[in-house]
Amino acid sequence: MAKGRRRARRVAKGGSRKTSRRNPSLLGRFSRIFFSRPMRYFFLFVLFLALLFYFSAPLISALETARDSLIETFGGGLVLLAMVILLLIWLVWRWRTPRFLSSWNRWLGVIVFFFALFGALAFFKPGEGIPSEHTWGGNLGKAVIGAPDALGGLRLAVICLAGFFLVAPRRTWRRFSTYALAVANLYQRYPLHRYLWFSLVWLWGLYRRYPVHRILISRLRRLRRPPKPVVEPAERVDLLEREPPVVVQPRVMPEPEVAPEPHEPEVAELTPLVAEERRGEWELPSISLLERAPEVEMGQIDTERRARLIEEALASYGVEAKVVQINVGPTVTQFGVEPGWDRKYREIKERDRDGNIKVRLEEISKTRVKVERINSLANDLALALAASSIKIESPVPGKSIVGIEVPNTTAALVSLRSVHESAQFQKLRSKSKLPLALGKGVSGETVVADLTRMPHLLIAGATGSGKSICLKSMVATFLLRATPEEVRLLLLDPKRVEMVDFSSVPHLVSPVVVDRDKAVATLKWLDREMDHRYDKLAAVGARDIEAYNKNPRAQEPLSYLVLIIDELADLMAAAPDEVERRLCRLAQLSRATGIHLVVATQRPSVDVVTGLIKANFPARISFAVASQVDSRTILDSGGAEKLLGQGDMLFLPPDAARPKRLQGSFISEPEIERLVSFWISQRGQPAYVSQLAEDMAKASVPSAVSTGDPLLEQARRLALEHSRISTSFLQRRLGIGYPRAARIMDLLEEQGIVAPGEPGKSRQVQGEKGG
């Protein structure tokens, strides 16, 4: 445009050299016409016609040869090949790559499908014309299928399946395995016409992307195995030579009878499978005594919908985040959220060619979204997901994501058998004498622990949260994997209803202790037993119980001794000072002697779970509690108040800084009865420790007798030496707690030594009743 303006100015001034020559020569006119642009194109076209006329015969022959070769190779699919090449040229020219072909495996899948298409065309042959000498797929299609017969069709199906696996590997494998399972069930249970009908329904659902096929497959999975016979607990009574067991027959299905699978024994075959392993004179029970839990599957559609709701809810509050990981567990599903960026922009005003002002936003900085912003939106996320409560773990240990744990619509039951059959438990069982089958994590992984490494465990949880079931599963694990010569149990159950199911197993040191006074005497005996074991270790120069059992100078091996207390609050109410002192000493010193403590309480307050007890119990489990204060008391952090109950728990290992969420293993009452009946059949009554029985007999004397408290005689002498005494006076002089001093004061009042008085005031000493 600048050159045009300058030329116009020169023309206006008369200074143009080209226009100054009004009469050009004849040679100049001829050269201007001859070398113009249209003449140059004309000469090139004439040259091209001359070359084409000179080389016409060889060129035509080469084109015919190339045409025949392409038709022979690709057949009628040559048209498709040309269309694909044109499409690729257009994509490269426009620099556009479809989102579908964004990964290398999908490119390979498209290539495999291209070959499969030529293989399919090779089954057909044109009727007339040049391609009639070949198939529609050409030699390429013949090479793919080999021959147009049944074997060629099978090869084509395998190639198509490989293409599906390359394009969508996870979804194809999931549907293929589900379809194969359904075909196997249909082949066993349905005639051929029903099998074809179900296949058509599945293919229709796959084409329409409708969840009908998923509903169909979920119903067929219920029929995957024949119904198991339900055996009442009386089925184990035959081991004690009692009346025959009562067996409930399985429900008869209307379909034809199917033989049971080899790994599922009949009811009559359970008896020879009870003993799994023999150690010395004892036989260990088989895992077949336990039952398998029914499988519960979470729908992928519901999981993806929840992930989308989480992203939309966070975006609505101005938090950029993306769900990058989904872990489906038995009770909750953990959505791994990756925080996005907080971007700052500035406005830039620009003027276009037409003179209009346009505003453009330019990014000037970006910072990561703070984790606290996601934590503060917990209630809003629960509202968006229609969940009762959610728990946010920020961040997930070992990962750069924030875990949002959402309760499942249908909770799955984690059976004790499924945990015992896992590879993690089998590996731990070969190394430890006291393995614990805790349950499964939020990702469905099995979580086990070793009690000898803890070495003590503190459990807390409200009523109905699953605390007692957890203790029962621990005791059942010991009964399944250890003999009475390897592990002995000492059970304290002040609630009188939880541990009485194990009252006859030979592993017990004494009967299940339900009286509070006997429980204190049991702790005293266990303290003396620990000192006695230390004397044995010192005699042979052993460091711990494992070294002692391997030492050839040891007279007899020592067994592990596990003390399980179901309710610590009752014991602390009876004798807080004595119980706290004994428990702390045992927790500090008993590890080397093979004595381990498992203490549970439903009231994790500071007067029950004191600072000394917490310091000596590094491993802790918290079930659902009432408030965040209780959660901090047991775990030193919040989170237990958001648990769902029914076995949902937080496990804090001694070597971990943060607790881990689990779904505890479950054992039913019939399973416990079968397990106890198995051990009773080997020995009628357990061998109790006589010294412990004597101590508990002394502790069971009524309080009205003068020997009701060991310090009662000393308190009587103090009362006779003074004219007035009080409860606080006895507390100071005897060095005991207030509850015990108050009980001694009541005993002195019953014996007539002190006069009745008001609580909190001193009382008049009357002298010993009856002289």
Side-chain angles (χ1 to χ4, degrees), residues 482-610:
T483 63
E485 297 175 353
E486 298 172 342
V487 176
R488 301 300 298 272
L489 300 176
L490 193 56
L491 305 180
L492 274 62
D493 184 16
K495 293 193 294 186
R496 303 171 180 264
V497 293
E498 299 297 343
M499 293 297 169
V500 293
D501 297 335
F502 304 98
S503 58
S504 301
V505 295
H507 297 71
L508 294 181
V509 177
S510 69
V512 179
V513 181
V514 297
D515 187 74
R516 293 187 295 182
D517 296 331
K518 291 183 179 180
V520 176
T522 302
L523 293 178
K524 295 179 180 179
W525 173 86
L526 192 60
D527 195 0
R528 295 194 301 269
E529 175 67 17
M530 179 185 66
D531 296 335
H532 181 60
R533 290 193 174 197
Y534 267 115
D535 294 338
K536 290 185 176 181
L537 296 181
V540 299
R543 183 178 181 180
D544 53 14
I545 184 175
E546 294 183 1
Y548 178 84
N549 291 336
K550 296 178 182 178
N551 197 308
R553 293 186 296 169
Q555 298 179 358
E556 58 181 6
L558 294 176
S559 61
Y560 286 90
L561 186 57
V562 181
L563 170 65
I564 299 179
I565 302 176
D566 188 20
E567 186 48 59
L568 179 62
D570 289 348
L571 302 184
M572 294 294 288
D577 296 333
E578 185 73 17
V579 171
E580 181 182 7
R581 182 167 60 87
R582 298 289 180 181
L583 283 179
C584 291
R585 188 171 189 272
L586 288 170
Q588 291 170 356
L589 303 175
S590 63
R591 177 179 184 177
T593 61
I595 299 176
H596 301 276
L597 311 179
V598 179
V599 180
T601 180
Q602 65 180 4
R603 189 164 60 91
S605 56
V606 292
D607 57 339
V608 176
V609 184
T610 62

Side-chain angles (χ1 to χ4, degrees), residues 350-365:
E350 296 178 347
R351 190 182 298 273
D352 57 5
R353 295 180 179 180
D354 299 334
N356 299 325
I357 298 177
K358 293 185 177 180
V359 179
R360 179 172 58 88
L361 295 179
E362 180 179 358
E363 181 179 336
I364 57 176
S365 66

Side-chain angles (χ1 to χ4, degrees), residues 221-241:
R221 282 187 172 180
R222 300 176 184 175
L223 306 176
R224 179 174 52 183
R225 295 177 181 174
K228 299 180 181 179
V230 181
V231 183
E232 292 293 333
E235 197 257 339
R236 293 295 166 203
V237 181
D238 60 344
L239 300 175
L240 300 177
E241 298 181 358

Side-chain angles (χ1 to χ4, degrees), residues 650-672:
L650 291 176
F651 171 53
L652 180 63
D655 55 349
R658 303 177 63 178
K660 185 176 184 180
R661 189 169 187 176
L662 310 175
Q663 176 64 29
S665 55
F666 175 79
I667 183 171
S668 61
E669 295 296 333
E671 292 174 318
I672 294 176

Side-chain angles (χ1 to χ4, degrees), residues 115-187:
F115 280 102
L117 179 60
F118 276 92
L121 292 175
F123 282 94
F124 306 99
K125 198 171 185 181
E128 58 183 7
I130 298 178
S132 60
E133 301 176 359
H134 310 282
T135 60
W136 280 107
N139 293 337
L140 179 60
K142 292 181 179 180
V144 171
I145 65 173
D149 51 5
L151 183 59
L154 182 60
R155 293 178 61 179
L156 183 62
V158 172
I159 293 174
C160 293
L161 184 61
F164 280 115
F165 272 105
L166 286 173
V167 172
R170 295 183 180 179
R171 184 176 300 178
T172 303
W173 172 253
R174 183 166 56 252
R175 294 195 175 183
F176 177 76
S177 58
T178 306
Y179 186 51
L181 181 61
V183 169
N185 284 279
L186 290 170
Y187 181 77

Side-chain angles (χ1 to χ4, degrees), residues 317 377-387 390:
Y317 292 99
L377 297 175
N379 295 332
D380 301 293
L381 289 175
L383 179 63
L385 296 171
I390 64 173

Side-chain angles (χ1 to χ4, degrees), residues 606-675:
V606 292
D607 57 339
V608 176
V609 184
T610 62
L612 288 176
I613 293 178
K614 286 176 58 179
N616 293 282
F617 284 79
R620 304 165 196 170
I621 291 177
S622 177
F623 291 87
V625 294
S627 63
Q628 189 178 10
V629 176
D630 294 342
S631 176
R632 292 186 179 274
T633 302
I634 185 67
L635 295 176
D636 296 328
S637 63
E641 73 280 0
K642 297 181 180 180
L643 297 178
L644 306 176
Q646 301 296 326
D648 191 14
M649 65 180 180
L650 291 176
F651 171 53
L652 180 63
D655 55 349
R658 303 177 63 178
K660 185 176 184 180
R661 189 169 187 176
L662 310 175
Q663 176 64 29
S665 55
F666 175 79
I667 183 171
S668 61
E669 295 296 333
E671 292 174 318
I672 294 176
E673 293 180 3
R674 291 197 292 267
L675 191 58

